[in-house]
Amino acid sequence: MKGDQARRQRGTLLVEVACAGLLVRDVGLLRDGIVDAPLHVVDRCRIRWATVDAVHGDTAVVTGPTLAWSAGRLDLGPATSETVRLGRDGLCLVDAIRPGQLVALHWDWIC
């Protein structure tokens, strides 16, 4: 592997390991009854789906299910709307997003 490619792969691995560590820690906190912050992290870190409601430049409004913690169990919760990023300064991760389209989300990005 060449230098830049190896650095990118190491960076990707570090992000994946960090995210996995957050999930293990946060699910443990959920089980201990500490819910709000850990549930937010687990919900944002997972790859999730949503439907595009509107597109505004580098952002989009989407609606999709959140996670819910109830009686010691993690389930899908109600659908909510949120504003997410398509890109930055006109550079997007995906092409031609339009209302009604089903998209994948990670944290606050369409990917």
Side-chain angles (χ1 to χ4, degrees):
M1 258 183 255
K2 301 282 181 182
D4 286 342
Q5 183 182 7
R7 277 191 291 281
R8 277 194 301 275
Q9 286 184 347
R10 281 194 302 271
T12 300
L13 179 60
L14 289 174
V15 169
E16 289 171 359
V17 168
C19 194
L22 284 173
L23 290 174
V24 169
R25 182 204 68 188
D26 289 332
V27 169
L29 290 171
L30 289 169
R31 289 183 179 141
D32 290 341
I34 303 168
V35 176
D36 292 339
L39 184 61
H40 176 76
V41 170
V42 171
D43 190 44
R44 300 292 96 190
C45 190
R46 73 184 171 106
I47 304 298
R48 60 198 191 283
W49 67 95
T51 302
V52 176
D53 298 323
V55 177
H56 307 285
D58 286 346
T59 64
V61 177
V62 299
T63 301
T66 58
L67 291 179
W69 182 259
S70 177
R73 184 181 162 132
L74 192 59
D75 282 315
L76 287 178
T80 61
S81 292
E82 63 180 298
T83 299
V84 296
R85 299 176 203 207
L86 291 169
R88 178 181 276 169
D89 299 327
L91 299 173
C92 295
L93 296 174
V94 293
D95 293 325
I97 296 297
R98 62 192 176 283
Q101 188 172 358
L102 190 63
V103 295
L105 305 170
H106 183 65
W107 290 99
D108 63 343
W109 284 89
I110 290 180
C111 48

